[in-house]
Amino acid sequence: MLLLWMLLAAGFGLAAGVLLPRAVYRFSVGPEEPWRDRCPAGHPLPGPAGGWLGRAYCAGCPGPYGPRARWFAVAGAVVCGTLAAVVGPRPELAVWLVAVPAGLVLAAVDRAVNRLPDVLTLPLAGGVTALLGVAALLPGAEGSWPRAVLGGVVLAGVFGVLFLIQPNGMGFGDVKLALALGVALGWYGWGVLLVGAFLGFALCAVYGTVLVLRGRADGGTALAFGPFLVLGALAGVLLGGMWV
């Protein structure tokens, strides 16, 4: 039965990943720029959800543009399959699976343009909070919804203080993303919240150190924090799923 859950979850992640590159391409613009609605050659973007979902490919152009779908498909399948293997058929698994595509898009966009769009971070926080509230009412759930909500407030508050202290070291988008990740991590406990947040900082620090040692960055280089926050939260949720 667990193998079936893993295969179903991996299939969902694979299918979702194939549809994400178009959204990443459209969101990967500067703070003052409108979302892209055309390919690099100027052709309109047709497709599902008003052209937001699909491969970064245009029939009128010689080849694909933007990120490759295969990387998102592989990442989605691996992450969703791993979540299913660790969490099992508990109600909160559905919440984690739904959150994976948004996390992949946010990580990719932040890596591309150092931006975490509000139209993704805020609905993600609201969606995770609401869905976990539903999961908490179902039999078999292994978490606390009140603690999850408080965890989101606490982590976002901590990040907000860090942003006020050093706005050049952390963007306000990271604060909004921390709200959703804090809810997810807080579901399994305060220890999980601390571990997930710490891993996000640690992974970013290791990556920055490697770049400096290779001469590709210095102390003033701005790094996208979002991908490491997402990775840290994923690791925390996996650990929480194993501990409960």
Side-chain angles (χ1 to χ4, degrees):
M1 182 61 71
L2 179 60
L3 179 60
L4 177 61
W5 279 104
M6 291 173 59
L7 291 175
L8 290 174
F12 167 79
L14 179 70
V18 171
L19 297 175
L20 298 182
R22 181 80 64 80
V24 173
Y25 169 77
R26 296 192 66 174
F27 279 125
S28 296
V29 295
E32 304 302 326
E33 301 178 45
W35 308 127
R36 291 169 172 156
D37 59 0
R38 297 177 179 273
C39 77
H43 302 125
L45 298 176
W52 278 98
L53 298 177
R55 297 172 56 203
Y57 176 83
C58 176
C61 296
Y65 56 87
R68 300 296 184 262
R70 62 177 177 270
W71 299 115
F72 289 91
V74 170
V78 170
V79 171
C80 290
T82 303
L83 283 166
V86 172
V87 177
R90 296 199 291 262
E92 64 265 24
L93 174 62
V95 184
W96 309 147
L97 296 183
V98 171
V100 166
L104 290 175
V105 172
L106 282 166
V109 172
D110 198 25
R111 184 177 183 273
V113 294
N114 282 356
R115 184 183 184 186
L116 293 166
D118 291 349
V119 294
L120 292 178
T121 54
L122 298 180
L124 177 62
V128 169
T129 302
L131 291 175
L132 283 178
V134 175
L137 301 175
L138 300 176
E142 294 287 351
S144 168
W145 187 73
R147 184 180 58 214
V149 175
L150 185 57
V153 173
V154 168
L155 190 61
V158 171
F159 274 52
V161 171
L162 294 175
F163 170 74
L164 293 175
I165 295 174
Q166 184 54 269
N168 293 328
M170 177 180 294
F172 197 57
D174 298 316
V175 179
K176 298 169 188 174
L177 178 59
L179 180 60
L181 302 184
V183 171
L185 292 167
W187 170 262
Y188 284 132
W190 294 110
V192 172
L193 178 66
L194 290 174
V195 169
F198 171 78
L199 286 175
F201 282 97
L203 290 170
C204 186
V206 170
Y207 178 71
T209 301
V210 171
L211 290 182
V212 170
L213 292 177
R214 297 182 62 181
R216 297 175 58 186
D218 55 36
T221 301
L223 298 178
F225 195 19
F228 303 103
L229 287 177
V230 171
L231 282 174
L234 173 62
V237 167
L238 290 173
L239 289 173
M242 288 189 290
W243 288 346
V244 296

